[in-house]
Amino acid sequence: MMASTYNAKDEDGHITVAGPGGGTLRSRKPENTAFKQQRLPAWQPILTAGTVLPAFFVIGLIFIPIGIGLYVTSNNIKEFEIDYTGVDMSSPCFNCSQNFSWNSTRPCTCSIPFYLDQPYESNVFMYYGLSNFYQNHRRYVKSRDDSQLNGDSEALTKPSKECEPYAFHDNKPIAPCGAIANSMFNDSLELFYNDPNGTKVQIHLMKTGIAWWTDKHVKFRNPGGNNPNLTVAFQGTTKPVNWRKPVYELDSDQENDGFINEDFIVWMRTAALPTFRKLYRIIQKKKDMVLTLPRGNYTLEVVYNYPVRSFEGRKRMILSTISWMGGKNPFLGIAYITVGSVCFFLGVVLLIIHHKYGNRNNSADISN
Amino acid sequence: MAFWRRKAHIEKERHVKANAREYNDKFSYADNHIKTSKYNIFTFLPINLFEQFQRVANAYFLVLLILQVIPAISSLSWFTTIVPLVLVLVITAVKDATDDYFRHKSDRQVNNRQSQVLIRGSLQNEKWMNVRVGDIIKLENNQFVAADILLLCSSEPYGLCYIETAELDGETNLKVRQALTVTSDLGDVSKLNDFDGEVICEPPNNKLDKFTGTLFWRDNKYALDNEKMLLRGCVLRNTEWCFGMVIFAGLQTKLMQNCGRTMFKRTSIDKLMNTLVLWIFGFLICMGVVLAIGNTIWESWIGRNFQVFLPWDASQDSAVFSGFLTFWSYIIILNTVVPISLYVSVEVLRLGHSYFINWDRRMYYSPMNTAAEARTTTLNEELGQVEFIFSDKTGTLTQNIMVFSKCSINGQPYGDVYDEFDQKVEITEKTACVDFSFNPLCDRRFKFYDGSLVEAIKLEDAAVHEFFRLLALCHTVMPEEKSEGHLVYQAQSPDEGALVTAARNFGFVFWARTPETITLYEMGHPVTYQLLAILDFNNVRKRMSVIVKNPQGQIKLYSKGADTIIFERLDPSSEDLVFTTSEHLSEFAGEGLRTLALAYKDLDEDYFEVWMKKLLFVSTLIENREDQLAVLYEEIEQDLKLLGATAIEDKLQEGVPETIACLNLADIKIWVLTGDKLETAMNIGYSCNMLRDDMNEVFVISGHTLLEVQQQLRSAKEHILGLSRVSSAGSVEKTDTFADDSVFEETIIAEYALVINGHSLAHALEAQLKHVLLDVACLCKTVICCRVTPMQKAQVVELVKTQKRAVTLAIGDGANDVSMIKTAHIGVGISGQEGMQAVLASDYSFAQFRYLQRLLLVHGRWSYFRMCNFLCYFFYKNFAFTLVHFWYGFFCGFSAQTVYDQWFITLFNIVYTSLPVLAMGLFDQDVNDQNSLRYPSLYKPGQQNLLFNKRQFFLCTLQGLGTSFLLFFIPYGAFSVMVKEDGSQFSDQQAFAVTIATSLVIVVSVQIGLDTHYWTAVNHLFIWGSVTVYFAILFAMQSDGIFGIFPSNFQFIGAARNCLSEKSVWLVILLTTVVCMVPGLAVSFLRVDLFPTLTDKVRHLQQCRKRQGPQEQNLRRVRRTSSRRSAYAFSHQQGYGELITSGKNMRMSSVSAAPSAGKSPHSSNWIENMLKRKNEVSCISDENMEASKGNKAIQTPDQHTV
C-alpha cells in the first residue's frame, strides 16, 4: 500500500545536475529499461486446478494405451532360453564344466537337445547370456586401450598402462590388451534342427551384422592400414593369455578378422549390468521358407571353452524374434500401464480433494 | 589495526612534542595514513589464494584433485575436478581484486587530501597521510580536521573556534572550542615555529567526549581537556583559521577508534550453507563407507572367484585393502554432491542482485543525483530476513531542517491553505508560496503558503507585529553579513534559526547585535533596542526571555517557551486566548510539529530597576548563584500576556512515517538510536508515528545509577507482563531468564514503547542488566535510545545480534553511525549528505530513508526468495545427479564405476544446468514489486527463515535422492533385457549412460521449469538452450571426428546415435521424466490448493488483476493522532545568553564599546560556567570533573589578565 510514496519527478527522463565544479555532471539516474528495472515481460504460470488436474488426466490417458501397446507387442515376441552352464549332474555339459582347463588342447563339446513348441517367423536372433559376470567392474571396464583397438601402431606395441596385468606377456605386447579382451567369450554354439524324418540339419548362423555400425567401421580398426596381411600387421605382438589363437586368426574372412571381428567387437562393448546377453548370431529368414525355425526338436552343440563355474556364473543361449520396439521387454509395458493408471487415479483423488477442501477463491481473504 | 599487532608493548601514556619530529618518531606512533584495503599487487595472489583455500569447499576440491592423481584410486579423470575448481578460483579472485581496488581508491582519496603543515618555519601543503604526530597544522574555515589536534590558537578572539561534529556524533549545532590562554596569542607562523610545548596525555581510546592531558611549556603545566581538542571528522565553521598540534593521527584518532573492527560479514544463508556442506561431507563419507564395506564384501565373496577374468592388482592383495581404496574412489566420484559451482553461482547471483539494486530508478534521488548503491555484494539475501532496524535520527529520519510552518496569533491560526469552498488544501510542491518580494531582506529559501498572515502584517495588526517582534528579539542567534544585504544567521539550534528566519521574512529582520543592543529592520525601518537582560534557557525553566527597552523608552519582557510553562505564568486576563491557543497547539502537535508559546509583558521602569539591582547582586554570589537566579527570573516572568504560539516542523525526510508504518507491518522492529536529547528524540518518535498516544505506555528509562536503571527496567517489564498475563502473575518474579519470556512475547497485544537515555543505557548494557533490557525492549513496539555514543550504538546492535539471533540492519548517515553500521549484519548509509564516512563503511547506500522500504521489501525479499529457490534446486540437482552412482554401486561390484561419461560429469554442473538455474536466481519474481510493497506481510517468511532451512534442505535432498533412484532403476528395469530394434545388443554401459544422462538433463530442466515463477525470454532461452546444448555437445563428443583425434578420451563414439535413435529409449526417458515429476507436482498443487501462503494468494490475485488490466493504486496516508505536547527549542544549549551579553563571541570591531562595569563579574568566567553546565548535562565521569577543576585553577589567574 506504500508503493506510491515515490516522487513523481523521479520518473521523469534524465536530469542533468549542475555539479559543484560548475560543469554538468552526468546524471547517475539508472536507465529505464525493462531489464534493469526488472520489468521484463514474463509468463507467470501458477499451479491451479485448471492446469494441474487436466495434466494428470492427459498423462493417464496417453500412458495407458502406450503401455497396453507395449505389453501386447512384448508378449507377441517369441523367446526361448536355455541354460547350458552344466551345473546339474544331469546336464549334458556337466562334464565339460567340471574338467575345465585353459590349456587343454582337445576342446570339450556337449550337445543339448531342446524343443521349440512355437514356430519362429522372420529373423531369429541368437544371443549368449552371462549372469553374475561383472563386465561393469571399474577395473575391468578401464582395462582396454582404445587407441590400440583403433589401429594405432604405437599403441599396438606399447599398450596403455590401463591394460595391466594384461599388457605384456613374455615381454611381448598383447594385442588386444587388457582384461576385457583377455576374457572374451569363446564358446562356440551351433544349432541343429532334428528333422522329424531323423536327419540333423545344421542351421546357418550369420556371423556378421551383429555389431554396431560405428564400432565396426570407426571405433575398431586393424593396424597397418589397408594391409590385407594381418599376420604382418600384428607382428611382434602376442595373443591374450587366455586365447587359444591370435587375434588375426579369429576368422578366415578378411573383413571379419583381427580387431574388426564382430564377436570381438560385441564382447568389447561392456555390459551395463552383471546379467547380460550379447548377440551371437543371426538366423536369417530364408526366402523360400515361411518359417525361419519351425516347431520341432533342435540340438545345441556347444564347444565348451568358457569357464564360469568358479564365480557361480551362468551361461545361456537365447533365441528371440524382435519387434518394432526391440526384444521382449515386459517391463516398459507394465511400467507405462502402472504409471498411467496411477496418474489417472491421482487426478481423480486430487479432483475430489480440490472440490471438498480446495481453496478455490483464495484471493478473497488477503489480509495484511 | 595491523599497527596494534606489530606493537609489542601497550602504550600507557603519550608524549608528544610540538615541532619535533625526531623526538616523536622515537615512539613510533601511527601516522595519518589510513588503510582499509587488504592486498597490494604482490601480496594479492598468495593472500587471496590462501584465503580462498580457507574455504572448506575449495580446500576439499584441492584434496580431491590430489586424490585423483593416484592411479589406484582415480575413478575420474583429473579434468572433471580441475576445470570447475580453476573456474571458481578465477571468478572469486577477480571479484576480490575489484573490491580491493575500490578500497584502495577511496583510501587514496582520503589520504591525499591537502592540509597545511608548519614545517621548518613555513606553512607547506602536505597530504593528509604525511601529517605526523607533533606537527602543527593550519585549518581553514569549512575544512575537515585531519587528525585529532590540540587547538593552539585561532582567528577568533580568546582562541575560540567553532566546530561542527556531525560526523562524530550526528549533532549539527555548532560547538565552541577554546585554546589555552597561553597559546591563543601564538597567531603567527614564527611564534608557532618556536612553540616547543610537550603534551603528555592518555593513550588512544574511543571516548569522544573525554580527553585528559597536560601541556608542559616554558616550565609551566597546563591541564588539557576535551574542550581544547579538535577531533578528526569535525568541520571547522565560522572560524577563519586555526592552528593545532597533532596528538593522535590516522588509525589512532578517536574517530577511527570508534569505527570498530572491520568485520567480514557473512549472511545467515552463508553460514547455513557451510553447515550443510559439512553435513554433505558427512553424508558423503557415510556413503563412501557403505560402498567401501560393500566392496570388501563383494571382493571377498565374488571378486575373489572372479579373478579368472579380473585378477586383483599386485598391490591390492586383500579385499579390505580394496575396500579402503574404493572408499577414496567413491569420495571422488560422489564429490559432486558438494557442489563446487554452488559457491560461484551464489556469488554471481549476488552480484546480479546488487546490480539490480544499483539500477533501480525508484531508489534514485534526483535532487542529489544519487542512485542506490550496493557496496557489498555478498549480503543481498539477508536483506530479505531483517528483523531489527537500528536507525539514526538526524539526517536519516529527519532532514535536519527546521521549518516555521504554522502559528497562532492572538487566537487566529495561520499556516493552512483553504480553497474557495473553505476546504483545507493539502500542501504539496505545487501549492503557491506567499510572495515575500515586498521585503528585500527576505530569505528566499523560506516558504510559507498562507497569504492571510502577510495580509495581517500589511494591515499592521498590532498583535501580529508584536508576535514577530518577539521572534526577532528573543533568541541567541548571531547575525553575519556575508555580503551587502545578504544576511546569514548562526543559530546554535536550528529551531531558533527557523523562528528568526520566519520573523525576517515577515518584515522583522534581525539585523545586528552588540552585547547591549539588538537592531531590527521593522518593515524596512531600522529600530535599535536596548538589550537589558537575557533570562537564559535551561532544562528546568524550559523557556527563555529577553528584557529590552524600545526606542520609545518602554521596557518589555519577551518570553518564549514550552506551552505548559508559559501558560502557568500568564495574566488571568488572557484566559479565553489560552483556551483557543491551546486548541491550536493540540492541532499543531497532532501534526507532529514542535510548538512554542510566546508571551510578553510590559515592565514598569521602577520595578525593573529594583529587579536589575537584585540581579546584579545575585550574579556576584558564589554560593547558590544558580538557584538564586532562577528565583529572580521566576519573579519577573509573571503575569505575562499571551501572544500566540509557533509550530516548527522538524522536517522529516519524505515518506518516513509511511516507510516506518510499512516496515512495521512487515514485522520489522525499528529502534532509533540517536545522539540527540530525550525530548527531541521523542518528538521525532511521535512525528514518525513510532510513538503514539494510543500506546498503552511509554517507558522512559533515565536512571543515573545501576540500581535505578535496574529498578526502572524491572518495573517496566513487570508492568508489561503483569498486564498481559494476569493469570500467571505469580511467576513474574522468576522470569529473569530469557528463554522463559520469549514464550510470552508473542502474546503481548498491548503496545508499549521504551525510551532510554544514554547514561542509563551505559548501565543497562552491563552484563547483569542486558538481558532485562533486551526483554523489555523486545516487548515494546518502539525503542528509542537517545544521547548514545557511537560505541553504545554498536553495543546495542551487538546485543540484539548475539542474543536474539536476528538479522539486524543499521542505517545512518554520519560518522557516529559507522560503528553500528559495521556491527550490524547489514549497514546502510544515507548518502548525499555531508561526509561520506557512513557510506564508506556501509554495505548499501542511498539518499533517502524511504528507499529502505524498497530495498527490503522488494530487493531483499526477491533476493532471499531467489537465493532460497536457487539453493533448493541446486542441492536437488546435484543429489539427483550424483546419487545415481550410489545405486549403480550395488550392480557393479562396488567398484566405483561411473554411470555417466566423464565428460558429462565435467560439464553437467557448469554447462548443462548452470544457466537455467542462474536465470531463475536472477530474474524470478513470485510477486511483483508493487504487490511486495502493498502486502508487507509477504516479508515475514524471510524473517522466519522459511524458504531455506535445514528442513527445506532435507526435503530437497530427499527429492534429489528419489529422483536419482528413479533415474537409475527405471532404465535398469528396462535395460536388463533390452535389445536394439535391429536385434543387436543394447544393454551396454554406454547406452545406459546416455539414456540416464539424457533423462537426467530433461528431468532437471523440467523441474527448473516448474520451479520458475517468472518466465522471461532469458529463462526460455537458457532452459531450451541448455537442453539443446546438451544434445549438441553429446553428439559432438560422440562423433567420429573427435574420436579420430583423441581415441582414448572420447570412447563413447556413436553411443548417442545408436541409443537415441531407439524408440524404446525415448519411452524410457519419457517414463522417467513423468515419474520423477508427478509426485512433486501433486504435492505442490495440494499445498497451494489446501494451504495457500500469502504469496500464493497474492500471486493468484496478481494473475486475476493482470487479466482485468491495471488498477489504480489506492493512496493511503498514515494518520497521526497525538495529543499536545510542547518542547522548547530542543537542541538548545544553556549558556549562550551569557555568551552574548558578555560579547565574547563577537568580533572585536562589533564590541568596540567596553563592557559595562556592571557586567564584568558576569563575563569573567563565562566559559567555565558553560562548561560546568554542559558537564551537568552530559554526565561526564568524575575524573573529568577533576580535570576541569584543575584546569580552572590554572586558568583563572590568566583569565583575569585578559
Side-chain angles (χ1 to χ4, degrees), chain B residues 229-282:
Chain B
M229 295 292 290
L230 307 182
L231 302 184
R232 180 172 181 144
C234 299
V235 181
L236 197 65
R237 297 281 188 211
N238 295 342
T239 312
E240 226 167 272
W241 49 261
C242 74
F243 280 98
M245 167 180 163
V246 178
I247 305 291
F248 302 120
L251 294 172
Q252 294 180 336
T253 57
K254 302 220 175 202
L255 175 71
M256 287 297 162
Q257 296 275 312
N258 252 305
C259 280
R261 211 162 52 82
T262 319
M263 276 184 292
F264 185 58
K265 290 183 180 176
R266 283 190 160 286
T267 65
S268 52
I269 290 221
D270 252 332
K271 287 175 205 145
L272 179 60
M273 230 155 68
N274 280 344
T275 320
L276 295 181
V277 165
L278 284 180
W279 282 16
I280 297 175
F281 281 157

Side-chain angles (χ1 to χ4, degrees), chain A residues 70 79 127 212 271-273 275-279 320 322 325-333 336, chain B residues 970-988 991-992 995 1058-1059 1062-1069:
Chain A
L70 286 172
E79 200 177 88
Y127 300 91
W212 291 7
L273 300 166
T275 299
F276 58 88
R277 57 172 72 170
K278 283 171 187 279
L279 186 57
S320 170
I322 58 165
M325 55 159 281
K328 196 178 183 75
N329 192 354
F331 173 84
L332 268 184
Y336 263 83
Chain B
I970 290 174
Y972 169 79
F975 268 79
S976 53
V977 283
M978 194 185 258
V979 296
K980 259 179 90 168
E981 283 158 36
D982 65 358
S984 56
Q985 66 146 344
F986 190 53
S987 55
D988 76 298
F992 194 62
T995 310
N1058 283 293
C1059 178
E1062 295 293 303
K1063 290 180 214 70
S1064 46
V1065 167
W1066 286 105
L1067 287 173
V1068 170
I1069 292 172

Side-chain angles (χ1 to χ4, degrees), chain B residues 591-611:
Chain B
E591 290 165 46
L593 304 174
R594 303 171 159 207
T595 55
L596 280 181
L598 310 184
Y600 78 104
K601 181 184 181 183
D602 291 311
L603 286 178
D604 183 59
E605 201 157 335
D606 301 335
Y607 173 75
F608 177 72
E609 288 286 318
V610 175
W611 184 83

Side-chain angles (χ1 to χ4, degrees), chain B residues 35 243 325 354 386 972:
Chain B
K35 179 167 172 281
F243 280 98
L325 292 181
S354 305
V386 172
Y972 169 79

Side-chain angles (χ1 to χ4, degrees), chain B residues 716-886:
Chain B
K717 188 171 158 189
E718 273 161 33
H719 185 89
I720 298 172
L721 295 176
L723 266 186
S724 53
R725 44 174 176 142
V726 184
S727 54
S728 58
S731 64
V732 170
E733 299 300 314
K734 288 175 271 172
T735 51
D736 272 2
T737 45
F738 172 70
D740 219 329
D741 285 341
S742 53
V743 185
F744 297 101
E745 264 172 50
E746 314 302 325
T747 58
I748 307 268
I749 320 135
E751 293 192 349
Y752 297 96
L754 178 74
V755 180
I756 184 163
N757 217 325
H759 47 79
S760 313
L761 191 63
H763 295 301
L765 284 173
E766 279 170 30
Q768 68 261 48
L769 276 186
K770 64 182 185 190
H771 288 293
V772 189
L773 170 73
L774 196 65
D775 289 352
V776 175
C778 291
L779 290 169
C780 292
K781 259 217 123 113
T782 299
V783 178
I784 297 177
C785 304
C786 37
R787 285 243 162 260
V788 290
T789 62
M791 260 309 158
Q792 277 182 331
K793 288 186 179 187
Q795 282 169 352
V796 173
V797 175
E798 185 73 37
L799 177 70
V800 175
K801 192 172 144 186
T802 51
Q803 304 289 327
K804 293 296 284 183
R805 299 189 174 281
V807 178
T808 54
L809 180 146
I811 178 166
D813 71 320
N816 58 332
D817 305 315
V818 167
S819 61
M820 102 175 155
I821 283 175
K822 283 192 174 170
T823 310
H825 290 102
I826 303 163
V828 178
I830 301 281
S831 57
Q833 310 279 341
E834 253 181 273
M836 291 289 283
Q837 308 264 11
V839 171
L840 287 178
S842 68
D843 305 307
Y844 298 90
S845 70
F846 41 70
Q848 293 273 295
F849 180 78
R850 65 186 145 107
Y851 297 151
L852 190 61
Q853 187 184 351
R854 193 171 173 83
L855 183 73
L856 297 185
L857 298 190
V858 177
H859 290 283
R861 210 184 78 82
W862 278 349
S863 278
Y864 176 70
F865 167 79
R866 290 166 180 170
M867 190 60 78
C868 292
N869 274 3
F870 169 83
L871 288 176
C872 277
Y873 176 77
F874 217 91
F875 286 115
Y876 157 78
K877 178 186 85 166
N878 278 288
F879 270 70
F881 164 58
T882 309
L883 292 190
V884 172
H885 294 304
F886 179 76

Side-chain angles (χ1 to χ4, degrees), chain A residues 207-208 216 222 230 247 250-265:
Chain A
K207 290 186 194 173
T208 53
K216 170 114 182 170
N222 278 325
L230 288 178
V247 68
L250 282 176
D251 199 348
S252 51
D253 180 7
Q254 191 80 61
E255 286 303 305
N256 194 27
D257 202 8
F259 288 158
I260 56 170
N261 176 274
E262 293 199 19
D263 284 333
F264 176 67
I265 293 174

